[in-house]
Amino acid sequence: MTDNLENESEDLPEQIAIRMAKREKLNDLSDAYPVSLPLTHTISEVRAEFPDLEIDAVTGKKVAIAGRVVFARNTGKLCFATLQAGDGERIQAMVSLDKVGEENLELYKELVDLGDHLFVDGEVITSKRGELSILVESWKMAAKTIRPLPNLHNELSEEFRVRHRYIDLIVRDRAREVVKIRSQVMQSLRNTFANDLYLEVETPMLQSMHGGASARPFKTHMNAFDMELFLRIAPELYLKRAVVGGIERVFEINRNFRNEGADSTHSPEFAMLEAYQAYGDYSTMAELTQKLIQNAAQDVFGTQVVALDGGEENDLSGEWDRVSMFESLSSAAGQEITPETPMAELKKIADKVDIEIDHPLHGKYVEELWEHFVKPGLKKPTFVMDFPVDTSPLTRDHRDKKGVVEKWDLYIRGYEQATGYSELVDPVIQRERFVAQAALAKTGDPEAMKLDEEFLKALEFGMPPSGGMGMGIDRLLMSLTGLGIRETILFPLVK
RNA sequence: GGGCCUCUAGCUCAGUUGGUUAGAGCAACGGACUUUUAAUCCGUGGGUCGUGGGUUCGAUUCCCACGGGGCCUACCA
């Protein structure tokens, strides 16, 4: 592909060279890119005003509209063009010899291509086949296109869509629809929070110390302070500072960055929602999460049983199941597994089902086994409650059960959708767990956290008992649409 | 990271068991056509077959390396 249009014209692909020449001629005659156009209507407005005209009708109504030419059918003295607005609405323009005259008709045929933005004004009529049309009295180039549009009769390849999303948006209804759905979902989430009196904040994305999750960060460098900075892997430690400061219901929707694998469910930058509520706990947050998702489905689709892209349905209605991690694992594995079950016993089970686990933590074994035995069977939205203590260093011990913390993961259609906690607010225990993590970091675990002294100091000023939750926005869109993550992100990272 | 597959015209794809001039549809160009709906009809042009190297009389085809993409697999949300 030629990326530089300043090359000699003979180096350009044929179609681009021809369009460049047309652009020149338009500029000579008037302007290929006029600064403004005297529009009177949008295409949707015209359609809304004349929904049911008879065949071959005239209205006497003059309108001036613009749209991108997506189909063109030229006969000798009458030309048809299908004009498309940004929202996908289309209308037909008819350019006829007796309305515009010979010169303008010839210029139209010579200079207007598929893909161009065209301005027309004229009377609203219907054609002899009943198609709602503008009978053009004058036309004007609104913006000349230099590159040809892909053909509209084949699906674009996945790669082409992702690399040239702007073209995808022009030619594919579903692409436009997903952008709209995503925007409406965001609006709905914010409405649900607002109704619960939450405040939205924005916390640092450039951090001198990355924390709040276990993941490898992206590193960068700040020249002015000559310091190493990290792109955040989570906003948690700052949102908790906000709670300490008295912002008792707080949430943030923003990007996290994780320097790890990319596949159909993981993007290196992804939109994250986190929320904290003083005097709530993990149960409160489970209710909130269910409400956020059900409201989003209801607000955007008008139903909590959403239709997915592949033809399946995703039933998000009703009260969602809550199962205990250890209990569901025990019954699936056919033997009692508790936080006291010896490592040797866990290893024996892992060996028996042929999964390899190389990790020093007891809880890691439990989670791996759970993912093997229980996770594949989860279809309905399900909160998996009460995780092992040693894999959740920022979480509070369970109020009744020994060896587990008050944490849940929400699974929808078999993958992790959200997570929630009763937050650990005891500064002494938090420090102990951080120190243990830092020790792990020294042994080479690149995901372990460093000591965030300022965060610990904040806890020492007293954080009220709180619930917290986090949810991947891109994954929420996946649950609501059935699309892959690269289709829910408008411009996903490509190499 | 490991394994397998893939890259051909602006777009979507055929094809070449190594052999003259690499095809189709849409798009483009020239012509005909005043009611088309992916308009139709006649004609024409457009390609360093991802990049570099090798084998060969001859490579788009076979081999190697590199780059892009996909799927499976391992890890993270």
Side-chain angles (χ1 to χ4, degrees):
Chain A
M1 185 186 291
T2 304
D3 291 310
N4 182 359
L5 297 184
E6 319 241 323
N7 289 341
E8 294 296 308
S9 63
E10 53 260 42
D11 290 345
L12 291 175
E14 178 198 29
Q15 299 197 38
I16 293 178
I18 289 164
R19 283 161 180 253
M20 288 290 272
K22 292 177 180 178
R23 171 187 167 278
E24 285 295 314
K25 179 153 185 185
L26 282 161
N27 276 333
D28 288 347
L29 290 170
S30 57
D31 193 352
Y33 304 96
V35 63
S36 75
L37 296 157
L39 299 176
T40 63
H41 291 70
T42 64
I43 291 174
S44 330
E45 283 166 357
V46 176
R47 285 212 164 274
E49 199 171 329
F50 301 99
D52 299 308
L53 289 183
E54 300 285 301
I55 284 175
D56 214 6
V58 293
T59 63
K61 173 82 175 183
K62 298 276 181 70
V63 298
I65 57 143
R68 192 187 289 273
V69 179
V70 290
F71 292 113
R73 301 168 291 277
N74 294 353
T75 71
K77 301 188 180 65
L78 176 62
C79 299
F80 301 89
T82 305
L83 303 185
Q84 177 177 289
D87 60 6
E89 281 291 332
R90 293 175 175 180
I91 198 163
Q92 178 168 271
M94 295 167 63
V95 185
S96 75
L97 176 65
D98 53 11
K99 281 286 170 192
V100 303
E102 191 170 346
E103 192 188 348
N104 265 319
L105 181 69
E106 286 311 311
L107 284 172
Y108 173 88
K109 284 202 268 190
E110 181 186 346
L111 298 175
V112 176
D113 285 312
L114 288 180
D116 292 348
H117 290 276
L118 187 68
F119 167 88
V120 296
D121 69 4
E123 185 184 352
V124 177
I125 62 160
T126 56
S127 71
K128 285 180 180 164
R129 297 288 173 86
E131 184 74 32
L132 187 67
S133 308
I134 313 295
L135 184 57
V136 174
E137 282 159 31
S138 73
W139 66 270
K140 207 171 170 181
M141 186 58 64
K144 181 67 193 169
T145 310
I146 295 308
R147 292 183 186 266
L149 231 44
N151 92 64
L152 301 180
H153 319 304
N154 296 93
E155 290 217 326
L156 294 174
S157 61
E158 223 288 302
E159 185 181 0
F160 191 93
R161 283 197 237 160
V162 167
R163 285 185 186 274
H164 312 282
R165 183 70 81 198
Y166 50 95
I167 300 174
D168 189 29
L169 292 168
I170 294 168
V171 303
R172 195 167 58 96
D173 293 340
R174 182 64 168 163
R176 284 189 294 275
E177 195 180 22
V178 170
V179 173
K180 198 168 161 187
I181 290 170
R182 182 166 180 132
S183 174
Q184 290 172 338
V185 166
M186 300 296 255
Q187 190 61 53
S188 170
L189 293 171
R190 290 193 159 101
N191 288 345
T192 300
F193 277 120
N195 289 339
D196 270 4
L197 305 178
Y198 272 77
L199 297 182
E200 179 171 10
V201 299
E202 283 150 277
T203 66
M205 302 181 75
L206 286 173
Q207 303 181 343
S208 58
M209 208 174 297
H210 66 283
S214 55
R216 296 187 193 196
F218 286 92
K219 272 182 208 165
T220 187
H221 181 262
M222 181 179 172
N223 292 335
F225 295 174
D226 187 23
M227 69 189 291
E228 184 177 57
L229 287 175
F230 300 95
L231 274 63
R232 75 177 191 191
I233 57 173
E236 172 161 357
L237 270 33
Y238 284 96
L239 291 174
K240 285 180 171 172
R241 285 166 164 86
V243 175
V244 169
I247 306 171
E248 296 188 340
R249 294 181 175 210
V250 66
F251 78 99
E252 175 167 9
I253 300 177
N254 228 320
R255 230 73 65 77
N256 288 348
F257 305 86
R258 299 193 182 175
N259 205 341
E260 291 166 351
D263 59 31
S264 64
T265 56
H266 297 84
S267 172
E269 57 175 317
F270 60 103
M272 187 73 184
L273 160 63
E274 281 198 19
Y276 294 87
Q277 180 175 330
Y279 308 108
D281 61 13
Y282 74 150
S283 204
T284 319
M285 301 319 276
E287 286 160 30
L288 172 70
T289 303
Q290 183 180 318
K291 187 160 67 177
L292 284 165
I293 296 176
Q294 289 179 338
N295 286 354
Q298 193 71 46
D299 291 347
V300 178
F301 301 109
T303 171
Q304 294 179 14
V305 184
V306 298
L308 300 183
D309 222 41
E312 278 174 86
E313 283 187 339
N314 189 10
D315 187 349
L316 298 164
S317 65
E319 281 298 311
W320 295 347
D321 290 345
R322 301 186 183 190
V323 304
S324 139
M325 172 171 272
F326 279 93
E327 283 168 25
S328 59
L329 174 57
S330 299
S331 71
Q335 70 181 90
E336 178 81 4
I337 294 169
T338 71
E340 277 81 43
T341 305
M343 279 287 264
E345 187 63 28
L346 295 180
K347 281 182 181 165
K348 217 190 292 174
I349 301 170
D351 285 343
K352 206 158 61 187
V353 295
D354 223 28
I355 47 177
E356 242 178 86
I357 306 167
D358 182 25
H359 206 277
L361 293 179
H362 184 274
K364 193 75 185 174
Y365 270 82
V366 173
E367 289 183 16
E368 294 275 347
L369 288 172
W370 182 86
E371 284 188 15
H372 176 267
F373 280 104
V374 186
K375 184 176 159 182
L378 288 182
K379 272 225 75 172
K380 292 187 339 190
T382 305
F383 291 103
V384 181
M385 319 282 291
D386 302 338
F387 278 60
V389 62
D390 49 7
T391 46
S392 303
L394 296 187
T395 312
R396 176 192 281 269
D397 287 346
H398 196 282
R399 62 197 78 184
D400 301 318
K401 302 181 196 167
K402 250 195 99 191
V404 299
V405 294
E406 296 201 353
K407 165 187 175 179
W408 51 256
D409 272 358
L410 170 63
Y411 280 82
I412 296 182
R413 301 180 66 234
Y415 57 82
E416 206 177 326
Q417 175 71 75
T419 183
Y421 308 87
S422 295
E423 300 296 343
L424 177 59
V425 295
D426 182 331
V428 175
I429 295 177
Q430 180 65 269
R431 180 176 292 276
E432 285 169 10
R433 299 220 177 135
F434 268 167
V435 168
Q437 282 284 308
L440 258 184
K442 278 192 194 127
T443 70
D445 181 349
E447 295 177 4
M449 304 173 200
K450 297 208 174 62
L451 225 55
D452 186 336
E453 279 296 342
E454 195 58 41
F455 170 69
L456 288 170
K457 194 197 263 184
L459 287 192
E460 288 164 9
F461 278 90
M463 174 165 164
S466 301
M469 63 81 69
M471 173 159 69
I473 298 291
D474 314 296
R475 288 206 172 169
L476 174 59
L477 267 291
M478 292 164 70
S479 290
L480 293 172
T481 60
L483 295 165
I485 199 166
R486 274 152 51 103
E487 297 288 331
T488 69
I489 298 175
L490 188 53
F491 299 108
L493 180 73
V494 284
K495 233 174 161 183

